[in-house]
Each structure stands twice: as C-alpha cells, then as structure tokens.
CSV table of all heavy atoms in Angstrom, one decimal:
chain,number,residue,atom,x,y,z
G,1,ILE,N,40.0,23.8,-9.0
G,1,ILE,CA,39.4,23.4,-10.3
G,1,ILE,C,38.1,24.2,-10.5
G,1,ILE,O,37.1,23.8,-10.0
G,1,ILE,CB,39.1,21.9,-10.4
G,1,ILE,CG1,40.5,21.1,-10.1
G,1,ILE,CG2,38.6,21.4,-11.7
G,1,ILE,CD1,40.3,19.6,-9.9
G,2,PHE,N,38.3,25.2,-11.2
G,2,PHE,CA,37.2,26.3,-11.3
G,2,PHE,C,35.8,25.6,-11.7
G,2,PHE,O,34.8,26.0,-11.2
G,2,PHE,CB,37.6,27.4,-12.3
G,2,PHE,CG,36.7,28.5,-12.3
G,2,PHE,CD1,36.7,29.5,-11.3
G,2,PHE,CD2,35.9,28.8,-13.4
G,2,PHE,CE1,35.9,30.6,-11.3
G,2,PHE,CE2,35.1,29.9,-13.4
G,2,PHE,CZ,35.1,30.8,-12.4
G,3,THR,N,35.9,24.7,-12.6
G,3,THR,CA,34.6,24.2,-13.2
G,3,THR,C,33.9,23.3,-12.1
G,3,THR,O,32.7,23.0,-12.4
G,3,THR,CB,34.8,23.4,-14.4
G,3,THR,OG1,35.9,22.5,-14.2
G,3,THR,CG2,35.3,24.3,-15.6
G,4,ASN,N,34.5,22.9,-11.0
G,4,ASN,CA,33.8,22.2,-10.0
G,4,ASN,C,33.0,23.1,-9.1
G,4,ASN,O,32.1,22.6,-8.4
G,4,ASN,CB,34.8,21.5,-9.1
G,4,ASN,CG,35.4,20.2,-9.8
G,4,ASN,OD1,34.8,19.7,-10.8
G,4,ASN,ND2,36.5,19.6,-9.3
G,5,TYR,N,33.3,24.4,-9.1
G,5,TYR,CA,32.8,25.3,-8.1
G,5,TYR,C,31.6,26.1,-8.5
G,5,TYR,O,31.6,26.7,-9.7
G,5,TYR,CB,33.9,26.2,-7.6
G,5,TYR,CG,34.9,25.6,-6.7
G,5,TYR,CD1,35.8,24.6,-7.1
G,5,TYR,CD2,34.9,25.8,-5.3
G,5,TYR,CE1,36.7,24.0,-6.3
G,5,TYR,CE2,35.8,25.2,-4.5
G,5,TYR,CZ,36.7,24.3,-5.0
G,5,TYR,OH,37.6,23.7,-4.1
G,6,ALA,N,30.6,26.2,-7.7
G,6,ALA,CA,29.7,27.3,-7.8
G,6,ALA,C,30.4,28.6,-7.4
G,6,ALA,O,31.2,28.6,-6.4
G,6,ALA,CB,28.5,27.1,-6.9
G,7,MET,N,30.1,29.7,-8.0
G,7,MET,CA,30.8,31.0,-7.7
G,7,MET,C,29.7,32.0,-7.3
G,7,MET,O,28.6,32.0,-7.9
G,7,MET,CB,31.6,31.5,-8.9
G,7,MET,CG,32.7,30.6,-9.4
G,7,MET,SD,33.9,30.3,-8.1
G,7,MET,CE,34.6,32.0,-7.9
G,8,ALA,N,30.0,32.7,-6.3
G,8,ALA,CA,29.0,33.7,-5.8
G,8,ALA,C,29.6,35.0,-5.4
G,8,ALA,O,30.8,35.1,-5.2
G,8,ALA,CB,28.3,33.0,-4.5
G,9,TRP,N,28.7,36.0,-5.4
G,9,TRP,CA,29.1,37.3,-4.9
G,9,TRP,C,28.2,37.6,-3.6
G,9,TRP,O,27.0,37.4,-3.7
G,9,TRP,CB,28.8,38.4,-5.9
G,9,TRP,CG,29.8,38.4,-7.0
G,9,TRP,CD1,29.7,37.8,-8.2
G,9,TRP,CD2,31.1,39.1,-7.0
G,9,TRP,NE1,30.8,38.0,-9.0
G,9,TRP,CE2,31.7,38.8,-8.3
G,9,TRP,CE3,31.8,39.8,-6.1
G,9,TRP,CZ2,32.9,39.2,-8.6
G,9,TRP,CZ3,33.1,40.2,-6.5
G,9,TRP,CH2,33.6,39.9,-7.7
G,10,TYR,N,28.9,38.0,-2.6
G,10,TYR,CA,28.2,38.4,-1.4
G,10,TYR,C,28.6,39.9,-1.1
G,10,TYR,O,29.5,40.5,-1.7
G,10,TYR,CB,28.7,37.7,-0.1
G,10,TYR,CG,28.2,36.2,-0.1
G,10,TYR,CD1,28.7,35.2,-0.9
G,10,TYR,CD2,27.2,35.8,0.8
G,10,TYR,CE1,28.3,33.9,-0.9
G,10,TYR,CE2,26.8,34.5,0.9
G,10,TYR,CZ,27.3,33.6,0.0
G,10,TYR,OH,26.9,32.3,0.1
G,11,ARG,N,27.9,40.6,-0.3
G,11,ARG,CA,28.2,42.0,0.1
G,11,ARG,C,27.9,42.1,1.6
G,11,ARG,O,27.1,41.5,2.2
G,11,ARG,CB,27.4,42.9,-0.7
G,11,ARG,CG,25.9,43.0,-0.5
G,11,ARG,CD,25.3,44.0,-1.5
G,11,ARG,NE,23.8,44.1,-1.3
G,11,ARG,CZ,23.0,44.7,-2.2
G,11,ARG,NH1,23.5,45.3,-3.3
G,11,ARG,NH2,21.8,44.8,-2.0
G,12,GLN,N,28.6,43.1,2.2
G,12,GLN,CA,28.4,43.4,3.5
G,12,GLN,C,28.5,44.9,3.7
G,12,GLN,O,29.6,45.5,3.4
G,12,GLN,CB,29.5,42.7,4.4
G,12,GLN,CG,29.2,43.0,5.9
G,12,GLN,CD,30.0,42.0,6.8
G,12,GLN,OE1,31.0,41.5,6.3
G,12,GLN,NE2,29.6,41.8,8.0
G,13,ALA,N,27.4,45.5,4.1
G,13,ALA,CA,27.3,46.9,4.3
G,13,ALA,C,27.7,47.2,5.8
G,13,ALA,O,27.6,46.4,6.6
G,13,ALA,CB,25.9,47.5,4.0
G,14,PRO,N,28.2,48.4,6.1
G,14,PRO,CA,28.5,48.8,7.5
G,14,PRO,C,27.4,48.4,8.5
G,14,PRO,O,26.3,48.9,8.2
G,14,PRO,CB,28.9,50.2,7.4
G,14,PRO,CG,29.3,50.5,6.1
G,14,PRO,CD,28.4,49.6,5.2
G,15,GLY,N,27.7,47.7,9.5
G,15,GLY,CA,26.7,47.4,10.5
G,15,GLY,C,25.7,46.4,10.2
G,15,GLY,O,24.8,46.1,10.9
G,16,LYS,N,25.9,45.7,9.0
G,16,LYS,CA,25.0,44.7,8.6
G,16,LYS,C,25.7,43.4,8.4
G,16,LYS,O,26.9,43.3,8.2
G,16,LYS,CB,24.3,45.1,7.3
G,16,LYS,CG,23.4,46.3,7.5
G,16,LYS,CD,22.6,46.6,6.2
G,16,LYS,CE,21.6,47.7,6.4
G,16,LYS,NZ,20.8,48.0,5.1
G,17,GLN,N,24.9,42.3,8.3
G,17,GLN,CA,25.5,41.0,8.1
G,17,GLN,C,25.8,40.8,6.6
G,17,GLN,O,25.2,41.5,5.7
G,17,GLN,CB,24.5,39.9,8.5
G,17,GLN,CG,24.3,39.8,10.0
G,17,GLN,CD,23.5,38.6,10.4
G,17,GLN,OE1,22.7,38.0,9.7
G,17,GLN,NE2,23.8,38.0,11.6
G,18,ARG,N,26.8,39.9,6.3
G,18,ARG,CA,27.0,39.6,4.9
G,18,ARG,C,25.8,38.9,4.3
G,18,ARG,O,25.2,38.1,4.9
G,18,ARG,CB,28.3,38.7,4.9
G,18,ARG,CG,28.9,38.5,3.5
G,18,ARG,CD,30.2,37.8,3.5
G,18,ARG,NE,31.2,38.5,4.3
G,18,ARG,CZ,32.5,38.1,4.3
G,18,ARG,NH1,32.9,37.1,3.6
G,18,ARG,NH2,33.4,38.9,5.0
G,19,GLU,N,25.5,39.3,3.1
G,19,GLU,CA,24.4,38.7,2.4
G,19,GLU,C,24.8,38.3,1.0
G,19,GLU,O,25.6,38.9,0.3
G,19,GLU,CB,23.2,39.7,2.3
G,19,GLU,CG,23.5,41.0,1.5
G,19,GLU,CD,22.3,41.9,1.3
G,19,GLU,OE1,21.2,41.5,1.7
G,19,GLU,OE2,22.5,43.0,0.7
G,20,LEU,N,24.0,37.3,0.5
G,20,LEU,CA,24.3,36.7,-0.8
G,20,LEU,C,23.6,37.7,-1.8
G,20,LEU,O,22.5,38.1,-1.7
G,20,LEU,CB,23.6,35.3,-1.0
G,20,LEU,CG,23.6,34.7,-2.4
G,20,LEU,CD1,25.1,34.4,-2.7
G,20,LEU,CD2,22.8,33.5,-2.5
G,21,VAL,N,24.4,38.0,-2.8
G,21,VAL,CA,23.9,38.9,-3.9
G,21,VAL,C,23.5,38.1,-5.1
G,21,VAL,O,22.4,38.2,-5.6
G,21,VAL,CB,25.0,39.9,-4.3
G,21,VAL,CG1,24.6,40.7,-5.5
G,21,VAL,CG2,25.4,40.8,-3.1
G,22,ALA,N,24.4,37.2,-5.5
G,22,ALA,CA,24.1,36.4,-6.7
G,22,ALA,C,25.0,35.2,-6.7
G,22,ALA,O,26.2,35.2,-6.1
G,22,ALA,CB,24.4,37.2,-8.0
G,23,ILE,N,24.6,34.1,-7.3
G,23,ILE,CA,25.3,32.9,-7.4
G,23,ILE,C,25.1,32.2,-8.7
G,23,ILE,O,24.1,32.3,-9.3
G,23,ILE,CB,25.0,31.9,-6.2
G,23,ILE,CG1,25.9,30.7,-6.2
G,23,ILE,CG2,23.5,31.4,-6.3
G,23,ILE,CD1,25.8,29.9,-4.9
G,24,ILE,N,26.2,31.6,-9.2
G,24,ILE,CA,26.1,30.9,-10.5
G,24,ILE,C,26.8,29.5,-10.3
G,24,ILE,O,27.9,29.3,-9.8
G,24,ILE,CB,26.8,31.6,-11.6
G,24,ILE,CG1,26.7,31.0,-13.0
G,24,ILE,CG2,28.3,32.0,-11.3
G,24,ILE,CD1,27.0,31.8,-14.2
G,25,ALA,N,26.0,28.5,-10.6
G,25,ALA,CA,26.4,27.1,-10.5
G,25,ALA,C,27.4,26.7,-11.5
G,25,ALA,O,27.6,27.5,-12.5
G,25,ALA,CB,25.2,26.1,-10.6
G,26,ASN,N,28.1,25.6,-11.3
G,26,ASN,CA,29.2,25.3,-12.3
G,26,ASN,C,28.5,25.0,-13.6
G,26,ASN,O,29.1,25.1,-14.7
G,26,ASN,CB,30.0,24.1,-11.8
G,26,ASN,CG,29.1,22.9,-11.4
G,26,ASN,OD1,27.9,22.9,-11.4
G,26,ASN,ND2,29.8,21.8,-11.1
G,27,GLY,N,27.2,24.7,-13.6
G,27,GLY,CA,26.5,24.4,-14.9
G,27,GLY,C,25.9,25.6,-15.5
G,27,GLY,O,25.3,25.6,-16.6
G,28,GLY,N,26.0,26.8,-14.8
G,28,GLY,CA,25.6,28.0,-15.3
G,28,GLY,C,24.2,28.6,-14.7
G,28,GLY,O,23.9,29.7,-15.1
G,29,ARG,N,23.5,27.8,-14.0
G,29,ARG,CA,22.3,28.3,-13.4
G,29,ARG,C,22.6,29.3,-12.4
G,29,ARG,O,23.6,29.3,-11.7
G,29,ARG,CB,21.6,27.1,-12.7
G,29,ARG,CG,20.2,27.4,-12.2
G,29,ARG,CD,19.5,26.2,-11.7
G,29,ARG,NE,18.1,26.5,-11.2
G,29,ARG,CZ,17.2,25.6,-10.8
G,29,ARG,NH1,17.5,24.3,-10.9
G,29,ARG,NH2,16.0,25.9,-10.5
G,30,THR,N,21.8,30.4,-12.4
G,30,THR,CA,22.0,31.6,-11.6
G,30,THR,C,20.8,31.8,-10.6
G,30,THR,O,19.7,31.4,-10.9
G,30,THR,CB,22.1,32.8,-12.5
G,30,THR,OG1,21.0,33.1,-13.2
G,30,THR,CG2,23.4,32.7,-13.4
G,31,ASN,N,21.1,32.5,-9.6
G,31,ASN,CA,20.1,32.9,-8.6
G,31,ASN,C,20.5,34.3,-8.0
G,31,ASN,O,21.7,34.5,-7.8
G,31,ASN,CB,20.0,31.9,-7.5
G,31,ASN,CG,18.6,32.1,-6.8
G,31,ASN,OD1,17.7,32.7,-7.3
G,31,ASN,ND2,18.5,31.5,-5.5
G,32,TYR,N,19.6,35.1,-7.7
G,32,TYR,CA,19.8,36.5,-7.3
G,32,TYR,C,19.0,36.8,-6.0
G,32,TYR,O,17.9,36.4,-5.9
G,32,TYR,CB,19.5,37.5,-8.4
G,32,TYR,CG,20.3,37.3,-9.7
G,32,TYR,CD1,19.9,36.5,-10.7
G,32,TYR,CD2,21.4,38.0,-9.9
G,32,TYR,CE1,20.6,36.4,-11.8
G,32,TYR,CE2,22.2,37.9,-11.0
G,32,TYR,CZ,21.8,37.1,-12.0
G,32,TYR,OH,22.5,37.0,-13.1
G,33,ALA,N,19.6,37.7,-5.3
G,33,ALA,CA,18.8,38.3,-4.2
G,33,ALA,C,17.7,39.2,-4.8
G,33,ALA,O,17.9,39.8,-5.9
G,33,ALA,CB,19.7,39.2,-3.3
G,34,ASP,N,16.6,39.2,-4.2
G,34,ASP,CA,15.4,40.0,-4.7
G,34,ASP,C,15.8,41.5,-4.9
G,34,ASP,O,15.3,42.1,-5.9
G,34,ASP,CB,14.2,39.9,-3.7
G,34,ASP,CG,13.6,38.6,-3.8
G,34,ASP,OD1,13.8,37.8,-4.8
G,34,ASP,OD2,12.8,38.2,-2.9
G,35,SER,N,16.6,42.0,-4.1
G,35,SER,CA,17.0,43.4,-4.1
G,35,SER,C,17.8,43.8,-5.4
G,35,SER,O,17.9,45.0,-5.7
G,35,SER,CB,17.8,43.8,-2.9
G,35,SER,OG,19.0,43.0,-2.8
G,36,VAL,N,18.4,42.8,-6.0
G,36,VAL,CA,19.2,43.1,-7.2
G,36,VAL,C,18.7,42.5,-8.5
G,36,VAL,O,19.3,42.8,-9.6
G,36,VAL,CB,20.7,42.7,-7.0
G,36,VAL,CG1,21.2,43.2,-5.7
G,36,VAL,CG2,20.8,41.1,-7.0
G,37,LYS,N,17.7,41.8,-8.4
G,37,LYS,CA,17.1,41.2,-9.7
G,37,LYS,C,16.7,42.3,-10.7
G,37,LYS,O,16.2,43.2,-10.3
G,37,LYS,CB,15.9,40.4,-9.3
G,37,LYS,CG,16.1,39.0,-8.7
G,37,LYS,CD,14.9,38.2,-8.4
G,37,LYS,CE,15.1,36.9,-7.7
G,37,LYS,NZ,13.9,36.2,-7.4
G,38,GLY,N,17.2,41.9,-11.9
G,38,GLY,CA,16.9,42.9,-13.0
G,38,GLY,C,17.9,44.0,-13.1
G,38,GLY,O,17.9,44.7,-14.1
G,39,ARG,N,18.8,44.1,-12.1
G,39,ARG,CA,19.9,45.1,-12.2
G,39,ARG,C,21.3,44.5,-12.2
G,39,ARG,O,22.2,45.1,-12.8
G,39,ARG,CB,19.8,46.0,-10.9
G,39,ARG,CG,18.5,46.8,-10.8
G,39,ARG,CD,18.5,47.8,-9.7
G,39,ARG,NE,18.7,47.2,-8.4
G,39,ARG,CZ,19.8,47.6,-7.6
G,39,ARG,NH1,20.7,48.4,-8.0
G,39,ARG,NH2,19.9,47.0,-6.4
G,40,PHE,N,21.5,43.4,-11.6
G,40,PHE,CA,22.8,42.8,-11.6
G,40,PHE,C,22.8,41.5,-12.4
G,40,PHE,O,21.7,40.8,-12.4
G,40,PHE,CB,23.1,42.4,-10.1
G,40,PHE,CG,23.5,43.5,-9.2
G,40,PHE,CD1,23.2,44.9,-9.6
G,40,PHE,CD2,24.0,43.3,-8.0
G,40,PHE,CE1,23.4,45.9,-8.8
G,40,PHE,CE2,24.3,44.4,-7.1
G,40,PHE,CZ,24.0,45.7,-7.5
G,41,THR,N,23.9,41.2,-13.0
G,41,THR,CA,24.0,39.9,-13.8
G,41,THR,C,25.3,39.3,-13.4
G,41,THR,O,26.4,39.9,-13.5
G,41,THR,CB,24.0,40.2,-15.3
G,41,THR,OG1,22.8,40.9,-15.6
G,41,THR,CG2,24.1,38.9,-16.0
G,42,ILE,N,25.2,38.0,-13.0
G,42,ILE,CA,26.5,37.2,-12.7
G,42,ILE,C,26.7,36.4,-13.9
G,42,ILE,O,25.8,35.8,-14.5
G,42,ILE,CB,26.3,36.4,-11.4
G,42,ILE,CG1,27.6,35.8,-11.0
G,42,ILE,CG2,25.2,35.3,-11.5
G,42,ILE,CD1,27.6,35.1,-9.6
G,43,SER,N,28.0,36.2,-14.2
G,43,SER,CA,28.4,35.4,-15.3
G,43,SER,C,29.8,34.8,-15.0
G,43,SER,O,30.5,35.3,-14.1
G,43,SER,CB,28.5,36.1,-16.6
G,43,SER,OG,29.4,37.2,-16.6
G,44,ARG,N,30.2,33.8,-15.7
G,44,ARG,CA,31.5,33.2,-15.5
G,44,ARG,C,32.1,32.8,-16.8
G,44,ARG,O,31.4,32.5,-17.8
G,44,ARG,CB,31.4,31.9,-14.6
G,44,ARG,CG,30.5,30.8,-15.2
G,44,ARG,CD,30.3,29.7,-14.1
G,44,ARG,NE,31.5,29.0,-13.7
G,44,ARG,CZ,31.6,28.4,-12.5
G,44,ARG,NH1,30.6,28.3,-11.7
G,44,ARG,NH2,32.7,27.8,-12.2
G,45,ASP,N,33.4,32.9,-16.9
G,45,ASP,CA,34.2,32.5,-18.0
G,45,ASP,C,35.2,31.4,-17.5
G,45,ASP,O,36.2,31.7,-16.9
G,45,ASP,CB,35.0,33.7,-18.5
G,45,ASP,CG,35.8,33.4,-19.8
G,45,ASP,OD1,36.1,32.2,-20.0
G,45,ASP,OD2,36.1,34.3,-20.5
G,46,ASN,N,34.8,30.2,-17.8
G,46,ASN,CA,35.6,29.0,-17.3
G,46,ASN,C,37.0,29.0,-17.9
G,46,ASN,O,37.9,28.4,-17.3
G,46,ASN,CB,34.8,27.7,-17.6
G,46,ASN,CG,33.6,27.6,-16.7
G,46,ASN,OD1,33.5,28.2,-15.6
G,46,ASN,ND2,32.6,26.8,-17.1
C-alpha cells in the first residue's frame, strides 16, 4: 500500500557503506543528505 510507506533512495559506492541520499514521507516531507542538498530532488506520485 504505497501511501503507507516512506520512500527513500540510498546509494553505495565501491568500497563504501550504503548511505541515505533522500527520503520522502508518506505525507510528502523530504530530507536529504548534505552532499546532495540543492542538487537532488525526491518526489513521489501516489
């Protein structure tokens, strides 16, 4: 049930741990890693 879920993007570079890139709550609130703020935008189409 997509609208129940927060959705996120993570990334993993070679030799590094997986890290959170961006997350969007089911209500639409977003949060970003400092390294991508201003460059990446997360959105959802319910």
Side-chain angles (χ1 to χ4, degrees):
I1 301 174
F2 187 75
T3 51
N4 283 347
Y5 284 75
M7 300 297 297
W9 288 96
Y10 287 74
R11 68 186 180 187
Q12 188 166 18
K16 294 188 177 181
Q17 290 190 332
R18 191 173 298 190
E19 63 174 355
L20 176 67
V21 175
I23 187 166
I24 182 166
N26 56 352
R29 186 171 183 175
T30 59
N31 198 19
Y32 297 89
D34 287 343
S35 59
V36 307
K37 282 181 181 176
R39 300 188 298 120
F40 291 10
T41 303
I42 189 170
S43 61
R44 63 191 294 160
D45 185 335
N46 290 336

